[in-house]
Amino acid sequence: MTNTSGPIILGIEGTAWNLSAAIVDYNDVITETTATYSPPTGGIHPREASQHHADHIGSVITKVFLEADGKGINPSDIDAVAFSQGPGLGPCLRTVATAARALSLSLDIPLIGVNHCIAHIEVGRWKTDAVDPVVLYVSGANSQVLAYRKGRYRVFGETLDIGIGNALDKFARGAGLLHPGGPRIEELAKGATSYIHLPYVVKGMDFSFTGMSTAASNALQSSLLEDVCYSLQENAFAMLVEVTERAVAHTGKDEVLLAGGVGANMRLQEMLKIMCRERGIKFYAPERRFMGDNGTMIAYLGLIMYQHHTFTSISQSHAWPNYRPDDTPVTWRQD
Ligand code: ATP
Ligand code: FE2
């Protein structure tokens, strides 16, 4: 066997568009294999995504085992199987949970159902120097500002309707751009020459994106696509940075960590960096491969839960589409 450290965990992610399995130990990723569902037109259809996952789960697991074998790790060396239990699309979650249960039974190892949002946070803490950050978690379906306090990741602010990624993707679809829209909007925004006004909706510590996305679609009748993309980013990201800054002021924490697929956006990173520099605090963003959905983050959260004896029985291993991060007792952190 190669030089591994402590437990070895297999993790499976499949909450939405990306089916991904990884094997990790405490030091690093041993292997990761991914099969991505890309809708031919329109957005993600839950049943079609789950059919994609069902079609590919066998080959993804086989490949991850084969690659691990090449590094001297056999299925019998794996200590537990972790899977993303929620939040996510019900049909996709059921496919992944079924595969994880089957592996747990056939390899005779414990099962660990993990919260997908917390996995985004913990892989960021693993792959950067962040210790106790305020987290801005921005993805397709989710947009939340969180921080650890007294045994839970508390949600300080969140979207009142759709996630920022879905708002960007929805606007992009209406503008005839391919899914996912976020990266295309980022590219187009670079060619803008003017800013157009869009609704800025922050209510207390929460944000709302549907009105902004609809207004941006309407603005296309009289403005250039590049200008609307630019304005959409500036407006939405200012809302996110404002709430993140207020959570920093409230908690007194001195680090900000960016997580989730939208975190790959360089303009969002730049705006957060400016805010952190002005406040004299540290900003962290993991490398891109750990931002969007990936099997590694599920395996890594499984690993720290394994070390703290936090397991999931078969009867508790149901798909949990609206599983919130603050539903999870954080057994692996101290106050
Ligand atoms: P979650 O279940 O956490 O909501 P998810 O299924 O939405 O996850 P992620 O990979 O975390 O998956 O995020 C995908 C989103 O990230 C999509 O909405 C996509 O448009 C957006 N995205 C990816 N790259 C960029 C970018 N460069 N700029 C803006 N948005 C981006
Ligand atoms: Fe995600």
Side-chain angles (χ1 to χ4, degrees):
M1 205 196 294
T2 45
N3 216 358
T4 58
S5 153
I8 299 176
I9 309 293
L10 166 67
I12 314 172
E13 159 59 27
T15 54
W17 58 278
N18 210 19
L19 176 69
S20 179
I23 297 175
V24 308
D25 71 359
Y26 194 76
N27 289 333
D28 212 347
V29 185
I30 296 167
T31 166
E32 182 181 70
T33 294
T34 290
T36 302
Y37 163 71
S38 325
T41 54
I44 297 173
H45 190 294
R47 221 171 345 96
E48 285 170 13
S50 88
Q51 188 57 51
H52 165 273
H53 294 357
D55 291 344
H56 291 85
I57 188 84
S59 58
V60 163
I61 297 294
T62 303
K63 186 153 177 249
V64 95
F65 279 159
L66 264 176
E67 285 182 7
D69 187 58
K71 296 183 175 182
I73 291 162
N74 303 311
S76 61
D77 298 321
I78 295 171
D79 293 290
V81 52
F83 69 103
S84 49
Q85 194 167 7
L89 303 172
C92 297
L93 295 173
R94 280 191 287 280
T95 303
V96 167
T98 305
R101 273 182 224 120
L103 283 162
S104 159
L105 290 170
S106 63
L107 296 173
D108 194 22
I109 51 177
L111 189 61
I112 305 175
V114 315
N115 179 283
H116 174 94
C117 317
I118 296 182
H120 274 291
I121 299 174
E122 292 300 346
V123 81
R125 291 208 310 135
W126 189 37
K127 291 294 173 187
T128 69
D129 291 329
V131 177
D132 182 24
V134 166
V135 182
L136 175 61
Y137 162 45
V138 274
S139 61
N142 295 287
S143 298
Q144 290 174 328
V145 175
L146 310 105
Y148 176 79
R149 195 164 178 197
K150 295 197 173 139
R152 304 262 165 165
Y153 280 105
R154 312 277 168 185
V155 179
F156 286 82
E158 62 189 316
T159 180
L160 297 169
D161 41 49
I162 56 176
I164 174 63
N166 284 355
L168 296 172
D169 295 342
K170 190 169 138 227
F171 163 79
R173 264 201 309 283
L177 305 172
L178 279 176
H179 185 87
R184 295 179 171 87
I185 291 171
E186 180 172 20
E187 258 331 286
L188 285 161
K190 292 178 187 157
T193 52
S194 63
Y195 178 80
I196 56 158
H197 177 78
L198 292 172
Y200 183 100
V201 189
V202 174
K203 296 182 182 175
M205 286 289 279
D206 295 327
F207 14 73
S208 149
F209 297 115
T210 44
M212 180 197 70
S213 178
T214 305
S217 298
N218 293 339
L220 284 176
Q221 288 163 10
S222 52
S223 305
L224 287 175
L225 177 59
E226 287 81 355
D227 290 346
V228 182
C229 289
Y230 167 74
S231 309
L232 191 55
Q233 287 201 152
E234 295 301 302
N235 196 67
F237 297 167
M239 289 160 56
L240 297 169
V241 175
E242 179 194 330
V243 174
T244 307
E245 181 169 19
R246 285 204 269 132
V248 168
H250 176 74
T251 57
K253 294 191 194 282
D254 61 1
E255 301 174 327
V256 168
L257 173 69
L258 181 58
V262 181
N265 188 290
M266 295 314 287
R267 177 60 183 146
L268 175 58
Q269 294 201 16
E270 184 185 17
M271 288 167 78
L272 284 165
K273 266 183 215 156
I274 293 168
M275 181 273 282
C276 289
R277 194 169 58 231
E278 284 175 355
R279 296 192 70 91
I281 64 173
K282 284 169 257 144
F283 171 71
Y284 295 104
E287 65 178 286
R288 213 184 179 95
R289 64 177 281 214
F290 300 118
M291 288 270 194
D293 293 349
N294 61 87
T296 294
M297 68 184 196
I298 304 302
Y300 178 69
L301 177 52
L303 186 143
I304 48 185
M305 289 172 74
Y306 177 90
Q307 289 175 317
H308 290 82
H309 313 289
T310 309
F311 302 116
T312 306
S313 65
I314 295 280
S315 63
Q316 296 167 320
S317 67
H318 56 88
W320 192 347
N322 55 359
Y323 186 5
R324 287 177 60 82
D326 45 8
D327 285 327
T328 302
V330 178
T331 51
W332 57 93
R333 285 191 62 175
Q334 310 288 321
D335 275 304

PDB file of all heavy atoms in Angstrom, residues 15-17 116 120 137 139-142 165 168-169 180-183 186 260-262 264-265 288 292-293, ligand 1:
ATOM      1  N   THR A  15     -25.797  15.038  -5.868  1.00  0.00           N
ATOM      2  CA  THR A  15     -27.007  15.775  -5.482  1.00  0.00           C
ATOM      3  C   THR A  15     -27.705  16.406  -6.675  1.00  0.00           C
ATOM      4  O   THR A  15     -28.887  16.685  -6.623  1.00  0.00           O
ATOM      5  CB  THR A  15     -26.670  16.890  -4.477  1.00  0.00           C
ATOM      6  OG1 THR A  15     -25.632  17.701  -5.046  1.00  0.00           O
ATOM      7  CG2 THR A  15     -26.203  16.333  -3.155  1.00  0.00           C
ATOM      8  N   ALA A  16     -26.937  16.674  -7.753  1.00  0.00           N
ATOM      9  CA  ALA A  16     -27.548  17.352  -8.906  1.00  0.00           C
ATOM     10  C   ALA A  16     -26.838  16.939 -10.197  1.00  0.00           C
ATOM     11  O   ALA A  16     -27.010  15.829 -10.671  1.00  0.00           O
ATOM     12  CB  ALA A  16     -27.509  18.864  -8.706  1.00  0.00           C
ATOM     13  N   TRP A  17     -25.999  17.794 -10.745  1.00  0.00           N
ATOM     14  CA  TRP A  17     -25.465  17.595 -12.097  1.00  0.00           C
ATOM     15  C   TRP A  17     -24.229  16.707 -12.141  1.00  0.00           C
ATOM     16  O   TRP A  17     -23.878  16.188 -13.194  1.00  0.00           O
ATOM     17  CB  TRP A  17     -25.117  18.958 -12.711  1.00  0.00           C
ATOM     18  CG  TRP A  17     -24.125  19.731 -11.886  1.00  0.00           C
ATOM     19  CD1 TRP A  17     -24.414  20.480 -10.787  1.00  0.00           C
ATOM     20  CD2 TRP A  17     -22.716  19.787 -12.050  1.00  0.00           C
ATOM     21  NE1 TRP A  17     -23.270  21.008 -10.247  1.00  0.00           N
ATOM     22  CE2 TRP A  17     -22.209  20.598 -11.019  1.00  0.00           C
ATOM     23  CE3 TRP A  17     -21.819  19.230 -12.977  1.00  0.00           C
ATOM     24  CZ2 TRP A  17     -20.854  20.873 -10.884  1.00  0.00           C
ATOM     25  CZ3 TRP A  17     -20.464  19.505 -12.831  1.00  0.00           C
ATOM     26  CH2 TRP A  17     -19.993  20.312 -11.799  1.00  0.00           C
ATOM     27  N   HIS A 116     -24.313  17.976   2.256  1.00  0.00           N
ATOM     28  CA  HIS A 116     -23.568  18.475   1.093  1.00  0.00           C
ATOM     29  C   HIS A 116     -23.005  19.894   1.329  1.00  0.00           C
ATOM     30  O   HIS A 116     -21.872  20.186   0.934  1.00  0.00           O
ATOM     31  CB  HIS A 116     -24.543  18.453  -0.097  1.00  0.00           C
ATOM     32  CG  HIS A 116     -24.054  19.036  -1.357  1.00  0.00           C
ATOM     33  ND1 HIS A 116     -23.475  18.283  -2.350  1.00  0.00           N
ATOM     34  CD2 HIS A 116     -24.061  20.315  -1.815  1.00  0.00           C
ATOM     35  CE1 HIS A 116     -23.154  19.074  -3.358  1.00  0.00           C
ATOM     36  NE2 HIS A 116     -23.488  20.310  -3.064  1.00  0.00           N
ATOM     37  N   HIS A 120     -18.965  21.165   1.391  1.00  0.00           N
ATOM     38  CA  HIS A 120     -18.333  22.297   0.688  1.00  0.00           C
ATOM     39  C   HIS A 120     -17.466  23.108   1.667  1.00  0.00           C
ATOM     40  O   HIS A 120     -16.373  23.551   1.316  1.00  0.00           O
ATOM     41  CB  HIS A 120     -19.407  23.236   0.114  1.00  0.00           C
ATOM     42  CG  HIS A 120     -19.941  22.871  -1.234  1.00  0.00           C
ATOM     43  ND1 HIS A 120     -19.182  22.955  -2.379  1.00  0.00           N
ATOM     44  CD2 HIS A 120     -21.168  22.465  -1.641  1.00  0.00           C
ATOM     45  CE1 HIS A 120     -19.934  22.603  -3.431  1.00  0.00           C
ATOM     46  NE2 HIS A 120     -21.143  22.301  -3.011  1.00  0.00           N
ATOM     47  N   TYR A 137     -21.269  30.540   1.029  1.00  0.00           N
ATOM     48  CA  TYR A 137     -21.486  29.305   0.251  1.00  0.00           C
ATOM     49  C   TYR A 137     -22.489  29.616  -0.855  1.00  0.00           C
ATOM     50  O   TYR A 137     -23.653  29.886  -0.583  1.00  0.00           O
ATOM     51  CB  TYR A 137     -21.989  28.220   1.196  1.00  0.00           C
ATOM     52  CG  TYR A 137     -22.647  27.034   0.538  1.00  0.00           C
ATOM     53  CD1 TYR A 137     -22.097  26.416  -0.583  1.00  0.00           C
ATOM     54  CD2 TYR A 137     -23.829  26.509   1.043  1.00  0.00           C
ATOM     55  CE1 TYR A 137     -22.713  25.330  -1.173  1.00  0.00           C
ATOM     56  CE2 TYR A 137     -24.447  25.425   0.457  1.00  0.00           C
ATOM     57  CZ  TYR A 137     -23.888  24.839  -0.651  1.00  0.00           C
ATOM     58  OH  TYR A 137     -24.499  23.762  -1.243  1.00  0.00           O
ATOM     59  N   SER A 139     -23.879  28.396  -4.607  1.00  0.00           N
ATOM     60  CA  SER A 139     -23.892  27.368  -5.644  1.00  0.00           C
ATOM     61  C   SER A 139     -25.157  27.541  -6.460  1.00  0.00           C
ATOM     62  O   SER A 139     -25.797  28.595  -6.404  1.00  0.00           O
ATOM     63  CB  SER A 139     -23.835  26.009  -4.972  1.00  0.00           C
ATOM     64  OG  SER A 139     -24.968  25.873  -4.160  1.00  0.00           O
ATOM     65  N   GLY A 140     -25.527  26.481  -7.210  1.00  0.00           N
ATOM     66  CA  GLY A 140     -26.734  26.572  -8.008  1.00  0.00           C
ATOM     67  C   GLY A 140     -27.955  26.748  -7.132  1.00  0.00           C
ATOM     68  O   GLY A 140     -28.664  27.754  -7.199  1.00  0.00           O
ATOM     69  N   ALA A 141     -28.176  25.777  -6.261  1.00  0.00           N
ATOM     70  CA  ALA A 141     -29.411  25.755  -5.478  1.00  0.00           C
ATOM     71  C   ALA A 141     -29.295  26.490  -4.146  1.00  0.00           C
ATOM     72  O   ALA A 141     -30.311  26.750  -3.506  1.00  0.00           O
ATOM     73  CB  ALA A 141     -29.816  24.308  -5.237  1.00  0.00           C
ATOM     74  N   ASN A 142     -28.096  26.805  -3.714  1.00  0.00           N
ATOM     75  CA  ASN A 142     -27.935  27.368  -2.368  1.00  0.00           C
ATOM     76  C   ASN A 142     -27.164  28.687  -2.369  1.00  0.00           C
ATOM     77  O   ASN A 142     -26.269  28.883  -3.183  1.00  0.00           O
ATOM     78  CB  ASN A 142     -27.181  26.369  -1.476  1.00  0.00           C
ATOM     79  CG  ASN A 142     -27.985  25.100  -1.258  1.00  0.00           C
ATOM     80  OD1 ASN A 142     -28.962  25.090  -0.523  1.00  0.00           O
ATOM     81  ND2 ASN A 142     -27.601  24.045  -1.947  1.00  0.00           N
ATOM     82  N   GLY A 165     -26.610  30.805  -8.215  1.00  0.00           N
ATOM     83  CA  GLY A 165     -26.224  30.058  -9.427  1.00  0.00           C
ATOM     84  C   GLY A 165     -27.442  29.799 -10.315  1.00  0.00           C
ATOM     85  O   GLY A 165     -27.389  29.990 -11.534  1.00  0.00           O
ATOM     86  N   LEU A 168     -28.423  32.979 -12.056  1.00  0.00           N
ATOM     87  CA  LEU A 168     -27.543  33.239 -13.212  1.00  0.00           C
ATOM     88  C   LEU A 168     -27.883  32.293 -14.365  1.00  0.00           C
ATOM     89  O   LEU A 168     -28.002  32.709 -15.525  1.00  0.00           O
ATOM     90  CB  LEU A 168     -26.067  33.065 -12.812  1.00  0.00           C
ATOM     91  CG  LEU A 168     -25.506  34.039 -11.775  1.00  0.00           C
ATOM     92  CD1 LEU A 168     -24.103  33.624 -11.349  1.00  0.00           C
ATOM     93  CD2 LEU A 168     -25.496  35.469 -12.304  1.00  0.00           C
ATOM     94  N   ASP A 169     -28.080  31.007 -14.040  1.00  0.00           N
ATOM     95  CA  ASP A 169     -28.372  30.006 -15.077  1.00  0.00           C
ATOM     96  C   ASP A 169     -29.707  30.301 -15.769  1.00  0.00           C
ATOM     97  O   ASP A 169     -29.843  30.127 -16.985  1.00  0.00           O
ATOM     98  CB  ASP A 169     -28.413  28.592 -14.472  1.00  0.00           C
ATOM     99  CG  ASP A 169     -27.059  28.143 -13.923  1.00  0.00           C
ATOM    100  OD1 ASP A 169     -26.035  28.741 -14.305  1.00  0.00           O
ATOM    101  OD2 ASP A 169     -27.033  27.204 -13.111  1.00  0.00           O
ATOM    102  N   PRO A 180     -23.999  25.315 -17.921  1.00  0.00           N
ATOM    103  CA  PRO A 180     -24.368  26.280 -16.885  1.00  0.00           C
ATOM    104  C   PRO A 180     -24.013  27.710 -17.306  1.00  0.00           C
ATOM    105  O   PRO A 180     -22.966  27.946 -17.919  1.00  0.00           O
ATOM    106  CB  PRO A 180     -23.521  25.838 -15.689  1.00  0.00           C
ATOM    107  CG  PRO A 180     -22.313  25.203 -16.291  1.00  0.00           C
ATOM    108  CD  PRO A 180     -22.733  24.617 -17.614  1.00  0.00           C
ATOM    109  N   GLY A 181     -24.881  28.636 -16.943  1.00  0.00           N
ATOM    110  CA  GLY A 181     -24.727  30.009 -17.420  1.00  0.00           C
ATOM    111  C   GLY A 181     -23.652  30.814 -16.704  1.00  0.00           C
ATOM    112  O   GLY A 181     -23.081  31.742 -17.286  1.00  0.00           O
ATOM    113  N   GLY A 182     -23.377  30.473 -15.416  1.00  0.00           N
ATOM    114  CA  GLY A 182     -22.458  31.288 -14.612  1.00  0.00           C
ATOM    115  C   GLY A 182     -21.144  31.613 -15.317  1.00  0.00           C
ATOM    116  O   GLY A 182     -20.778  32.791 -15.462  1.00  0.00           O
ATOM    117  N   PRO A 183     -20.400  30.597 -15.806  1.00  0.00           N
ATOM    118  CA  PRO A 183     -19.108  30.893 -16.440  1.00  0.00           C
ATOM    119  C   PRO A 183     -19.261  31.728 -17.716  1.00  0.00           C
ATOM    120  O   PRO A 183     -18.396  32.540 -18.026  1.00  0.00           O
ATOM    121  CB  PRO A 183     -18.555  29.504 -16.779  1.00  0.00           C
ATOM    122  CG  PRO A 183     -19.313  28.544 -15.932  1.00  0.00           C
ATOM    123  CD  PRO A 183     -20.640  29.150 -15.650  1.00  0.00           C
ATOM    124  N   GLU A 186     -19.772  35.332 -16.749  1.00  0.00           N
ATOM    125  CA  GLU A 186     -18.483  35.907 -16.310  1.00  0.00           C
ATOM    126  C   GLU A 186     -17.662  36.349 -17.527  1.00  0.00           C
ATOM    127  O   GLU A 186     -17.083  37.442 -17.524  1.00  0.00           O
ATOM    128  CB  GLU A 186     -17.695  34.880 -15.489  1.00  0.00           C
ATOM    129  CG  GLU A 186     -16.355  35.427 -15.021  1.00  0.00           C
ATOM    130  CD  GLU A 186     -15.615  34.516 -14.047  1.00  0.00           C
ATOM    131  OE1 GLU A 186     -15.906  33.310 -13.979  1.00  0.00           O
ATOM    132  OE2 GLU A 186     -14.715  35.043 -13.349  1.00  0.00           O
ATOM    133  N   GLY A 260     -18.547  26.577  -2.853  1.00  0.00           N
ATOM    134  CA  GLY A 260     -19.630  26.358  -3.817  1.00  0.00           C
ATOM    135  C   GLY A 260     -19.233  26.754  -5.222  1.00  0.00           C
ATOM    136  O   GLY A 260     -18.290  27.522  -5.432  1.00  0.00           O
ATOM    137  N   GLY A 261     -19.981  26.219  -6.198  1.00  0.00           N
ATOM    138  CA  GLY A 261     -19.635  26.366  -7.611  1.00  0.00           C
ATOM    139  C   GLY A 261     -19.495  27.805  -8.088  1.00  0.00           C
ATOM    140  O   GLY A 261     -18.604  28.107  -8.895  1.00  0.00           O
ATOM    141  N   VAL A 262     -20.337  28.726  -7.594  1.00  0.00           N
ATOM    142  CA  VAL A 262     -20.265  30.123  -8.035  1.00  0.00           C
ATOM    143  C   VAL A 262     -18.971  30.775  -7.520  1.00  0.00           C
ATOM    144  O   VAL A 262     -18.511  31.784  -8.060  1.00  0.00           O
ATOM    145  CB  VAL A 262     -21.526  30.905  -7.589  1.00  0.00           C
ATOM    146  CG1 VAL A 262     -21.506  32.346  -8.058  1.00  0.00           C
ATOM    147  CG2 VAL A 262     -22.792  30.221  -8.113  1.00  0.00           C
ATOM    148  N   ALA A 264     -16.146  29.931  -8.062  1.00  0.00           N
ATOM    149  CA  ALA A 264     -15.111  29.940  -9.108  1.00  0.00           C
ATOM    150  C   ALA A 264     -15.037  31.293  -9.812  1.00  0.00           C
ATOM    151  O   ALA A 264     -14.070  31.570 -10.522  1.00  0.00           O
ATOM    152  CB  ALA A 264     -15.415  28.845 -10.132  1.00  0.00           C
ATOM    153  N   ASN A 265     -16.046  32.137  -9.615  1.00  0.00           N
ATOM    154  CA  ASN A 265     -16.100  33.417 -10.328  1.00  0.00           C
ATOM    155  C   ASN A 265     -15.034  34.397  -9.800  1.00  0.00           C
ATOM    156  O   ASN A 265     -15.017  34.741  -8.618  1.00  0.00           O
ATOM    157  CB  ASN A 265     -17.503  34.019 -10.163  1.00  0.00           C
ATOM    158  CG  ASN A 265     -17.691  35.239 -11.030  1.00  0.00           C
ATOM    159  OD1 ASN A 265     -17.107  36.282 -10.788  1.00  0.00           O
ATOM    160  ND2 ASN A 265     -18.517  35.093 -12.058  1.00  0.00           N
ATOM    161  N   ARG A 288     -10.131  25.661  -7.792  1.00  0.00           N
ATOM    162  CA  ARG A 288     -11.403  25.492  -8.484  1.00  0.00           C
ATOM    163  C   ARG A 288     -12.016  24.092  -8.379  1.00  0.00           C
ATOM    164  O   ARG A 288     -13.222  23.941  -8.219  1.00  0.00           O
ATOM    165  CB  ARG A 288     -11.138  25.824  -9.958  1.00  0.00           C
ATOM    166  CG  ARG A 288     -12.266  26.453 -10.680  1.00  0.00           C
ATOM    167  CD  ARG A 288     -11.862  26.625 -12.142  1.00  0.00           C
ATOM    168  NE  ARG A 288     -12.954  27.210 -12.885  1.00  0.00           N
ATOM    169  CZ  ARG A 288     -13.063  28.502 -13.119  1.00  0.00           C
ATOM    170  NH1 ARG A 288     -12.152  29.347 -12.689  1.00  0.00           N
ATOM    171  NH2 ARG A 288     -14.099  28.950 -13.796  1.00  0.00           N
ATOM    172  N   GLY A 292     -16.803  23.531  -7.022  1.00  0.00           N
ATOM    173  CA  GLY A 292     -18.030  22.901  -7.521  1.00  0.00           C
ATOM    174  C   GLY A 292     -18.187  21.527  -6.879  1.00  0.00           C
ATOM    175  O   GLY A 292     -17.304  21.062  -6.141  1.00  0.00           O
ATOM    176  N   ASP A 293     -19.311  20.877  -7.142  1.00  0.00           N
ATOM    177  CA  ASP A 293     -19.586  19.581  -6.516  1.00  0.00           C
ATOM    178  C   ASP A 293     -18.512  18.559  -6.878  1.00  0.00           C
ATOM    179  O   ASP A 293     -18.166  18.414  -8.049  1.00  0.00           O
ATOM    180  CB  ASP A 293     -20.958  19.067  -6.986  1.00  0.00           C
ATOM    181  CG  ASP A 293     -22.081  19.945  -6.464  1.00  0.00           C
ATOM    182  OD1 ASP A 293     -21.824  20.793  -5.603  1.00  0.00           O
ATOM    183  OD2 ASP A 293     -23.219  19.757  -6.928  1.00  0.00           O
TER     184      ASP A 293
HETATM  185  P1  ATP B   1     -25.524  22.777  -4.505  1.00  0.00           P
HETATM  186  O1  ATP B   1     -26.222  21.463  -4.318  1.00  0.00           O
HETATM  187  O2  ATP B   1     -24.475  23.074  -3.504  1.00  0.00           O
HETATM  188  O3  ATP B   1     -26.476  23.882  -4.779  1.00  0.00           O
HETATM  189  P2  ATP B   1     -24.854  22.647  -7.267  1.00  0.00           P
HETATM  190  O4  ATP B   1     -25.465  21.384  -7.719  1.00  0.00           O
HETATM  191  O5  ATP B   1     -25.522  23.882  -7.639  1.00  0.00           O
HETATM  192  O6  ATP B   1     -24.573  22.538  -5.744  1.00  0.00           O
HETATM  193  P3  ATP B   1     -22.137  23.561  -7.688  1.00  0.00           P
HETATM  194  O7  ATP B   1     -21.111  22.882  -8.510  1.00  0.00           O
HETATM  195  O8  ATP B   1     -21.814  23.820  -6.271  1.00  0.00           O
HETATM  196  O9  ATP B   1     -23.403  22.643  -7.876  1.00  0.00           O
HETATM  197  O10 ATP B   1     -22.527  24.937  -8.401  1.00  0.00           O
HETATM  198  C1  ATP B   1     -22.985  24.996  -9.736  1.00  0.00           C
HETATM  199  C2  ATP B   1     -23.321  26.446 -10.066  1.00  0.00           C
HETATM  200  O11 ATP B   1     -22.106  27.218 -10.142  1.00  0.00           O
HETATM  201  C3  ATP B   1     -24.053  26.642 -11.391  1.00  0.00           C
HETATM  202  O12 ATP B   1     -25.185  27.445 -11.166  1.00  0.00           O
HETATM  203  C4  ATP B   1     -23.023  27.390 -12.260  1.00  0.00           C
HETATM  204  O13 ATP B   1     -23.589  28.302 -13.176  1.00  0.00           O
HETATM  205  C5  ATP B   1     -22.229  28.137 -11.204  1.00  0.00           C
HETATM  206  N1  ATP B   1     -20.897  28.540 -11.655  1.00  0.00           N
HETATM  207  C6  ATP B   1     -19.876  27.748 -12.035  1.00  0.00           C
HETATM  208  N2  ATP B   1     -18.815  28.499 -12.437  1.00  0.00           N
HETATM  209  C7  ATP B   1     -19.196  29.805 -12.304  1.00  0.00           C
HETATM  210  C8  ATP B   1     -18.559  31.062 -12.553  1.00  0.00           C
HETATM  211  N3  ATP B   1     -17.322  31.125 -13.044  1.00  0.00           N
HETATM  212  N4  ATP B   1     -19.257  32.182 -12.283  1.00  0.00           N
HETATM  213  C9  ATP B   1     -20.510  32.125 -11.790  1.00  0.00           C
HETATM  214  N5  ATP B   1     -21.161  30.977 -11.542  1.00  0.00           N
HETATM  215  C10 ATP B   1     -20.514  29.829 -11.800  1.00  0.00           C
END
